[in-house]
Amino acid sequence: MKAIVFYSHGGVENLRYEDLPAPTPGADEVLIRVRAVSLNGFDPMILNGTTSLKTPFPMSPGGDFSGEIVALGSSVNNGTWNLGDRVCPYPYIEGSGMMGETLPGACRELVTMPVQNLLRMPEKLSFVDAAALPIAYGTARRMIETRGAIRSGEKVLILGATGGVGTCCVQLAAAGGAEVIACGSAEWKLGRLKEIGASHVIDTSKEDFLKVVREKFGKPRYQGGGGVDVVVNYIGGNTWVPSLKALRHQGRLLVCGATAGYAPAEDLRYIWSFELAIIGSDGWTYEDQTALMNMVVEGKLKPVIHSARPLSETPQAFEELIDRKVFGKSVLTTTD
Protein backbone atom coordinates (compact mmCIF):
# COMPACT_ATOMS: atom_id res chain seq x y z
CA MET A 1 0.00 0.00 0.00
CA LYS A 2 1.03 3.63 -0.49
CA ALA A 3 1.58 5.73 2.60
CA ILE A 4 3.03 9.01 3.83
CA VAL A 5 5.64 8.18 6.47
CA PHE A 6 8.50 9.76 8.36
CA TYR A 7 11.29 7.93 10.18
CA SER A 8 12.60 10.76 12.33
CA HIS A 9 11.51 14.18 13.56
CA GLY A 10 12.22 17.18 11.40
CA GLY A 11 10.75 19.31 8.65
CA VAL A 12 8.44 18.64 5.73
CA GLU A 13 11.37 17.18 3.79
CA ASN A 14 11.18 14.13 6.13
CA LEU A 15 7.76 13.14 4.74
CA ARG A 16 8.01 10.30 2.23
CA TYR A 17 5.42 8.82 -0.11
CA GLU A 18 6.31 5.14 -0.35
CA ASP A 19 5.13 1.55 -0.24
CA LEU A 20 4.53 -0.21 3.07
CA PRO A 21 3.20 -3.72 3.75
CA ALA A 22 -0.58 -3.80 4.07
CA PRO A 23 -1.73 -4.36 7.67
CA THR A 24 -3.74 -7.42 8.74
CA PRO A 25 -6.74 -6.87 11.04
CA GLY A 26 -6.72 -8.52 14.45
CA ALA A 27 -9.61 -10.70 15.61
CA ASP A 28 -11.67 -7.72 16.83
CA GLU A 29 -10.59 -5.30 14.13
CA VAL A 30 -11.52 -4.38 10.57
CA LEU A 31 -9.34 -3.31 7.68
CA ILE A 32 -10.41 0.02 6.19
CA ARG A 33 -9.64 1.38 2.76
CA VAL A 34 -8.96 5.04 3.52
CA ARG A 35 -10.79 7.40 1.16
CA ALA A 36 -10.05 10.74 2.80
CA VAL A 37 -7.88 11.94 5.69
CA SER A 38 -7.57 15.46 7.11
CA LEU A 39 -4.75 17.27 8.87
CA ASN A 40 -4.88 19.00 12.24
CA GLY A 41 -2.69 21.55 13.96
CA PHE A 42 -0.90 18.83 15.92
CA ASP A 43 0.38 17.07 12.77
CA PRO A 44 3.30 19.48 12.15
CA MET A 45 4.05 19.40 15.88
CA ILE A 46 4.36 15.61 15.85
CA LEU A 47 6.53 15.76 12.71
CA ASN A 48 8.80 18.36 14.32
CA GLY A 49 8.95 16.50 17.64
CA THR A 50 7.87 19.54 19.65
CA THR A 51 5.51 17.64 21.97
CA SER A 52 6.27 15.39 24.93
CA LEU A 53 4.56 12.46 23.20
CA LYS A 54 6.59 9.42 22.21
CA THR A 55 6.40 8.91 18.45
CA PRO A 56 6.38 5.36 17.03
CA PHE A 57 8.42 5.12 13.82
CA PRO A 58 7.73 4.76 10.96
CA MET A 59 5.01 7.31 11.64
CA SER A 60 2.18 8.55 9.45
CA PRO A 61 0.25 11.78 10.08
CA GLY A 62 -3.53 12.16 10.05
CA GLY A 63 -5.99 11.43 12.85
CA ASP A 64 -9.27 12.12 11.08
CA PHE A 65 -10.32 9.83 8.26
CA SER A 66 -13.16 8.09 6.48
CA GLY A 67 -13.31 5.01 4.27
CA GLU A 68 -14.78 1.59 3.52
CA ILE A 69 -14.39 -1.75 5.27
CA VAL A 70 -12.50 -4.20 3.05
CA ALA A 71 -11.77 -7.04 5.50
CA LEU A 72 -13.14 -8.33 8.81
CA GLY A 73 -11.23 -9.80 11.73
CA SER A 74 -12.05 -13.38 12.71
CA SER A 75 -14.24 -12.34 15.68
CA VAL A 76 -16.14 -9.55 13.94
CA ASN A 77 -19.83 -10.33 13.59
CA ASN A 78 -20.60 -10.33 9.88
CA GLY A 79 -23.98 -8.64 9.82
CA THR A 80 -23.21 -5.90 12.30
CA TRP A 81 -20.36 -4.80 10.06
CA ASN A 82 -19.99 -5.85 6.45
CA LEU A 83 -17.57 -5.42 3.58
CA GLY A 84 -18.22 -2.12 1.86
CA ASP A 85 -19.68 -0.37 4.92
CA ARG A 86 -18.76 3.33 4.92
CA VAL A 87 -17.24 4.42 8.22
CA CYS A 88 -15.76 7.48 9.92
CA PRO A 89 -14.00 5.97 12.97
CA TYR A 90 -13.47 7.61 16.34
CA PRO A 91 -9.66 8.06 16.15
CA TYR A 92 -8.79 7.75 19.84
CA ILE A 93 -8.10 4.11 20.71
CA GLU A 94 -8.50 3.35 24.39
CA GLY A 95 -5.23 2.32 26.00
CA SER A 96 -3.13 3.32 22.99
CA GLY A 97 -3.87 6.95 22.23
CA MET A 98 -4.72 9.13 19.26
CA MET A 99 -4.00 8.23 15.66
CA GLY A 100 -1.40 10.59 14.28
CA GLU A 101 -0.03 11.29 17.78
CA THR A 102 0.98 8.10 19.59
CA LEU A 103 -0.34 5.73 16.90
CA PRO A 104 0.38 5.79 13.16
CA GLY A 105 -2.13 8.04 11.44
CA ALA A 106 -4.36 7.51 8.43
CA CYS A 107 -2.21 9.02 5.66
CA ARG A 108 -2.12 5.45 4.32
CA GLU A 109 -4.27 3.57 1.86
CA LEU A 110 -5.18 0.92 4.45
CA VAL A 111 -5.55 1.04 8.23
CA THR A 112 -6.91 -1.31 10.88
CA MET A 113 -9.39 -0.19 13.56
CA PRO A 114 -11.06 -1.88 16.55
CA VAL A 115 -14.75 -2.49 15.89
CA GLN A 116 -15.71 -0.48 18.99
CA ASN A 117 -14.26 2.64 17.31
CA LEU A 118 -16.37 2.35 14.17
CA LEU A 119 -19.05 4.91 13.40
CA ARG A 120 -21.29 4.40 10.41
CA MET A 121 -21.46 7.23 7.88
CA PRO A 122 -24.87 8.51 6.78
CA GLU A 123 -25.74 7.61 3.20
CA LYS A 124 -25.42 11.13 1.78
CA LEU A 125 -22.27 12.18 3.62
CA SER A 126 -19.16 12.50 1.43
CA PHE A 127 -15.83 10.98 2.44
CA VAL A 128 -14.16 14.40 2.30
CA ASP A 129 -16.71 16.07 4.58
CA ALA A 130 -16.67 13.13 7.00
CA ALA A 131 -12.87 13.20 7.29
CA ALA A 132 -12.98 16.86 8.35
CA LEU A 133 -15.20 16.25 11.37
CA PRO A 134 -13.83 14.13 14.24
CA ILE A 135 -11.03 15.91 16.09
CA ALA A 136 -11.50 19.60 15.21
CA TYR A 137 -15.26 19.72 14.74
CA GLY A 138 -15.88 17.28 17.59
CA THR A 139 -13.78 19.43 19.91
CA ALA A 140 -15.64 22.56 18.79
CA ARG A 141 -19.09 21.04 19.29
CA ARG A 142 -18.33 19.88 22.82
CA MET A 143 -16.84 23.24 23.74
CA ILE A 144 -19.58 25.42 22.21
CA GLU A 145 -22.69 23.37 22.97
CA THR A 146 -21.95 21.00 25.86
CA ARG A 147 -19.43 22.79 28.04
CA GLY A 148 -19.99 26.40 26.97
CA ALA A 149 -23.79 26.22 26.59
CA ILE A 150 -23.73 29.29 24.34
CA ARG A 151 -27.16 30.90 24.05
CA SER A 152 -28.93 33.02 21.48
CA GLY A 153 -28.11 36.71 21.76
CA GLU A 154 -24.77 36.24 23.51
CA LYS A 155 -21.65 37.99 22.24
CA VAL A 156 -18.95 35.40 21.56
CA LEU A 157 -15.33 36.30 20.83
CA ILE A 158 -13.39 33.50 19.08
CA LEU A 159 -9.61 33.75 18.91
CA GLY A 160 -7.77 31.93 16.13
CA ALA A 161 -11.04 31.43 14.29
CA THR A 162 -9.65 30.41 10.91
CA GLY A 163 -8.56 26.81 11.55
CA GLY A 164 -10.60 23.63 11.86
CA VAL A 165 -11.76 24.16 15.45
CA GLY A 166 -12.26 27.88 14.92
CA THR A 167 -14.35 27.70 11.75
CA CYS A 168 -16.64 25.15 13.39
CA CYS A 169 -16.96 27.31 16.52
CA VAL A 170 -17.99 30.25 14.33
CA GLN A 171 -20.62 28.20 12.53
CA LEU A 172 -22.08 26.57 15.65
CA ALA A 173 -22.20 29.78 17.68
CA ALA A 174 -23.79 31.71 14.80
CA ALA A 175 -26.32 28.93 14.15
CA GLY A 176 -27.28 29.13 17.83
CA GLY A 177 -28.10 32.81 17.49
CA ALA A 178 -24.91 34.29 19.00
CA GLU A 179 -23.27 37.48 17.80
CA VAL A 180 -19.84 36.20 16.76
CA ILE A 181 -16.67 38.27 16.84
CA ALA A 182 -14.03 36.23 14.99
CA CYS A 183 -10.28 36.86 15.03
CA GLY A 184 -7.84 36.07 12.23
CA SER A 185 -4.37 37.21 11.23
CA ALA A 186 -4.75 37.48 7.45
CA GLU A 187 -7.01 39.86 5.57
CA TRP A 188 -8.08 37.26 2.99
CA LYS A 189 -9.43 35.05 5.76
CA LEU A 190 -11.61 37.74 7.36
CA GLY A 191 -14.10 37.84 4.50
CA ARG A 192 -14.41 34.07 4.68
CA LEU A 193 -15.20 34.32 8.40
CA LYS A 194 -18.12 36.62 7.61
CA GLU A 195 -19.34 34.18 4.96
CA ILE A 196 -19.61 31.39 7.54
CA GLY A 197 -21.42 33.41 10.18
CA ALA A 198 -19.20 35.98 11.90
CA SER A 199 -20.93 39.30 12.62
CA HIS A 200 -17.64 41.11 13.26
CA VAL A 201 -14.01 40.29 12.38
CA ILE A 202 -10.74 41.45 13.90
CA ASP A 203 -7.40 41.34 12.07
CA THR A 204 -5.06 40.47 14.93
CA SER A 205 -2.01 41.14 12.75
CA LYS A 206 -2.99 44.83 12.81
CA GLU A 207 -5.41 45.28 15.71
CA ASP A 208 -5.45 44.66 19.44
CA PHE A 209 -8.51 42.46 19.96
CA LEU A 210 -9.10 43.76 23.50
CA LYS A 211 -9.08 47.36 22.31
CA VAL A 212 -11.50 46.54 19.48
CA VAL A 213 -13.87 44.68 21.82
CA ARG A 214 -13.95 47.59 24.27
CA GLU A 215 -14.55 50.07 21.44
CA LYS A 216 -17.45 48.02 20.05
CA PHE A 217 -19.08 46.78 23.24
CA GLY A 218 -17.76 48.98 26.01
CA LYS A 219 -15.36 48.41 28.87
CA PRO A 220 -16.62 45.72 31.27
CA ARG A 221 -17.99 47.07 34.57
CA TYR A 222 -18.07 45.45 38.00
CA GLN A 223 -21.83 45.86 38.23
CA GLY A 224 -22.48 44.71 34.67
CA GLY A 225 -22.39 46.18 31.18
CA GLY A 226 -19.67 46.20 28.56
CA GLY A 227 -17.53 43.36 27.26
CA VAL A 228 -18.51 40.05 25.68
CA ASP A 229 -20.36 37.12 27.22
CA VAL A 230 -17.95 34.41 26.08
CA VAL A 231 -14.36 34.17 24.89
CA VAL A 232 -13.16 31.02 23.11
CA ASN A 233 -9.41 30.77 23.65
CA TYR A 234 -7.31 27.73 22.73
CA ILE A 235 -4.20 29.86 22.13
CA GLY A 236 -3.10 30.70 25.67
CA GLY A 237 0.20 32.55 25.95
CA ASN A 238 -0.05 36.33 25.92
CA THR A 239 -3.72 36.23 24.82
CA TRP A 240 -4.89 34.86 28.17
CA VAL A 241 -5.07 37.97 30.35
CA PRO A 242 -6.53 40.16 27.57
CA SER A 243 -9.23 37.50 27.17
CA LEU A 244 -10.13 37.88 30.85
CA LYS A 245 -10.26 41.66 30.43
CA ALA A 246 -12.65 41.36 27.46
CA LEU A 247 -15.33 39.50 29.44
CA ARG A 248 -18.40 41.05 31.00
CA HIS A 249 -19.36 40.51 34.64
CA GLN A 250 -19.94 36.74 35.11
CA GLY A 251 -18.64 36.02 31.61
CA ARG A 252 -17.25 32.66 30.51
CA LEU A 253 -13.83 31.78 29.09
CA LEU A 254 -13.76 28.48 27.19
CA VAL A 255 -10.43 26.73 26.74
CA CYS A 256 -9.53 23.48 24.96
CA GLY A 257 -5.86 23.98 24.17
CA ALA A 258 -2.85 26.30 24.34
CA THR A 259 -1.04 26.57 21.02
CA ALA A 260 0.96 29.62 22.15
CA GLY A 261 1.80 28.36 25.65
CA TYR A 262 0.05 26.50 28.47
CA ALA A 263 1.57 28.51 31.36
CA PRO A 264 0.53 32.10 30.63
CA ALA A 265 0.74 35.10 32.92
CA GLU A 266 -2.38 35.26 35.11
CA ASP A 267 -4.36 38.08 36.68
CA LEU A 268 -6.60 36.65 39.37
CA ARG A 269 -8.13 40.05 40.12
CA TYR A 270 -10.32 39.86 37.02
CA ILE A 271 -11.47 36.33 37.81
CA TRP A 272 -12.74 37.17 41.29
CA SER A 273 -13.77 40.78 40.69
CA PHE A 274 -15.85 39.98 37.62
CA GLU A 275 -16.89 36.54 38.91
CA LEU A 276 -15.61 34.92 35.72
CA ALA A 277 -16.03 31.24 34.90
CA ILE A 278 -13.07 29.41 33.33
CA ILE A 279 -14.48 26.35 31.58
CA GLY A 280 -12.23 23.61 30.24
CA SER A 281 -13.28 21.34 27.41
CA ASP A 282 -11.31 18.23 26.49
CA GLY A 283 -11.93 16.24 23.33
CA TRP A 284 -15.31 14.99 22.21
CA THR A 285 -17.54 11.92 22.40
CA TYR A 286 -18.85 9.31 19.98
CA GLU A 287 -22.20 11.07 20.27
CA ASP A 288 -20.65 14.41 19.25
CA GLN A 289 -19.11 12.86 16.16
CA THR A 290 -22.35 11.12 15.16
CA ALA A 291 -24.35 14.31 15.70
CA LEU A 292 -21.94 16.27 13.50
CA MET A 293 -22.28 13.79 10.64
CA ASN A 294 -26.06 14.06 10.85
CA MET A 295 -25.90 17.87 10.98
CA VAL A 296 -23.92 17.94 7.73
CA VAL A 297 -26.41 15.65 5.97
CA GLU A 298 -29.31 17.77 7.25
CA GLY A 299 -27.70 20.96 5.94
CA LYS A 300 -27.19 22.44 9.40
CA LEU A 301 -23.40 22.48 9.13
CA LYS A 302 -20.94 22.64 6.24
CA PRO A 303 -17.33 21.63 6.90
CA VAL A 304 -14.96 24.31 5.67
CA ILE A 305 -12.61 22.51 3.30
CA HIS A 306 -9.52 24.47 2.35
CA SER A 307 -8.36 21.91 -0.19
CA ALA A 308 -8.78 18.25 -1.16
CA ARG A 309 -5.69 16.92 -2.88
CA PRO A 310 -4.07 13.52 -3.54
CA LEU A 311 -2.30 11.75 -0.68
CA SER A 312 1.00 12.15 -2.52
CA GLU A 313 0.72 15.93 -2.02
CA THR A 314 0.71 15.72 1.78
CA PRO A 315 4.03 17.66 2.02
CA GLN A 316 2.46 20.60 0.19
CA ALA A 317 -0.54 20.48 2.53
CA PHE A 318 1.85 20.52 5.51
CA GLU A 319 3.69 23.54 4.13
CA GLU A 320 0.44 25.48 3.77
CA LEU A 321 -0.58 24.55 7.31
CA ILE A 322 2.78 25.59 8.76
CA ASP A 323 2.75 28.87 6.79
CA ARG A 324 -0.78 29.65 8.01
CA LYS A 325 -2.16 29.66 4.49
CA VAL A 326 -5.07 27.38 5.40
CA PHE A 327 -8.65 28.39 6.11
CA GLY A 328 -10.56 25.44 7.55
CA LYS A 329 -9.41 21.87 6.94
CA SER A 330 -6.86 20.40 4.52
CA VAL A 331 -7.96 16.99 3.25
CA LEU A 332 -5.97 14.32 1.41
CA THR A 333 -7.68 11.70 -0.75
CA THR A 334 -6.62 8.29 -2.01
CA THR A 335 -7.34 6.71 -5.39
CA ASP A 336 -8.02 3.16 -6.54
Side-chain angles (χ1 to χ4, degrees):
M1 68 171 180
K2 289 293 186 180
I4 295 290
V5 294
F6 57 98
Y7 294 85
S8 61
H9 294 300
V12 173
E13 67 278 1
N14 284 27
L15 295 172
R16 303 181 187 178
Y17 182 60
E18 61 184 38
D19 288 301
L20 290 182
T24 300
D28 295 313
E29 296 180 330
V30 300
L31 182 66
I32 299 171
R33 171 71 162 84
V34 176
R35 294 295 183 180
V37 53
S38 71
L39 299 179
N40 287 284
F42 66 74
D43 285 303
M45 297 168 65
I46 297 298
L47 173 62
N48 292 332
T50 56
T51 75
S52 60
L53 299 172
K54 183 175 177 59
T55 303
F57 295 114
M59 184 63 171
S60 292
D64 297 327
F65 75 103
S66 59
E68 300 164 320
I69 296 176
V70 293
L72 306 175
S74 59
S75 298
V76 177
N77 181 9
N78 193 341
T80 302
W81 294 104
N82 299 288
L83 300 183
D85 283 350
R86 302 164 75 247
V87 294
C88 180
Y90 187 83
Y92 181 82
I93 299 176
E94 192 67 35
S96 299
M98 184 73 73
M99 294 182 66
E101 285 189 342
T102 55
L103 293 171
C107 283
R108 304 177 174 214
E109 290 182 324
L110 296 164
V111 298
T112 57
M113 288 295 291
V115 290
Q116 62 264 29
N117 284 69
L118 299 181
L119 291 173
R120 200 178 303 277
M121 284 175 54
E123 185 75 21
K124 296 181 180 179
L125 183 64
S126 73
F127 287 119
V128 168
D129 281 351
L133 297 176
I135 296 172
Y137 277 59
T139 297
R141 183 178 189 270
R142 179 169 175 78
M143 181 165 52
I144 294 294
E145 297 189 2
T146 305
R147 298 289 295 144
I150 288 176
R151 299 178 291 274
S152 178
E154 290 192 311
K155 298 177 180 67
V156 180
L157 174 68
I158 301 173
L159 305 185
T162 60
V165 175
T167 53
C168 185
C169 285
V170 170
Q171 291 182 82
L172 292 177
E179 183 177 354
V180 176
I181 307 99
C183 297
S185 58
E187 187 173 347
W188 69 270
K189 297 179 181 180
L190 301 181
R192 296 291 308 279
L193 287 170
K194 286 190 174 182
E195 290 174 6
I196 65 172
S199 300
H200 315 276
V201 293
I202 300 173
D203 185 346
T204 52
S205 69
K206 302 175 181 178
E207 301 175 286
D208 180 326
F209 74 83
L210 176 58
K211 181 179 179 181
V212 174
V213 166
R214 289 183 169 181
E215 288 175 350
K216 286 183 179 291
F217 306 109
K219 184 177 180 180
R221 303 296 178 185
Y222 290 110
Q223 299 303 316
V228 297
D229 301 280
V230 178
V231 175
V232 175
N233 185 332
Y234 40 83
I235 297 175
N238 61 12
T239 69
W240 186 255
V241 171
S243 294
L244 298 175
K245 294 180 179 181
L247 285 165
R248 67 161 174 81
H249 181 250
Q250 295 186 345
R252 312 191 298 286
L253 198 161
L254 310 182
V255 56
C256 70
T259 57
Y262 64 84
E266 186 62 274
D267 193 329
L268 298 176
R269 296 172 301 172
Y270 284 87
I271 297 176
W272 83 63
S273 297
F274 286 88
E275 298 182 332
L276 302 179
I278 311 299
I279 302 174
S281 185
D282 185 28
W284 74 106
T285 66
Y286 284 71
E287 291 74 20
D288 287 321
Q289 192 169 323
T290 298
L292 287 165
M293 290 192 285
N294 291 330
M295 289 174 69
V296 175
V297 172
E298 294 164 4
K300 298 177 180 178
L301 179 70
K302 177 59 180 173
V304 179
I305 308 299
H306 174 77
S307 63
R309 58 199 341 151
L311 184 64
S312 59
E313 296 182 14
T314 300
Q316 293 94 312
F318 261 75
E319 288 176 342
E320 287 186 345
L321 190 59
I322 293 168
D323 293 340
R324 296 187 174 184
K325 295 179 178 179
V326 173
F327 183 85
K329 295 284 287 182
S330 291
V331 179
L332 293 311
T333 61
T334 62
T335 57
D336 291 315

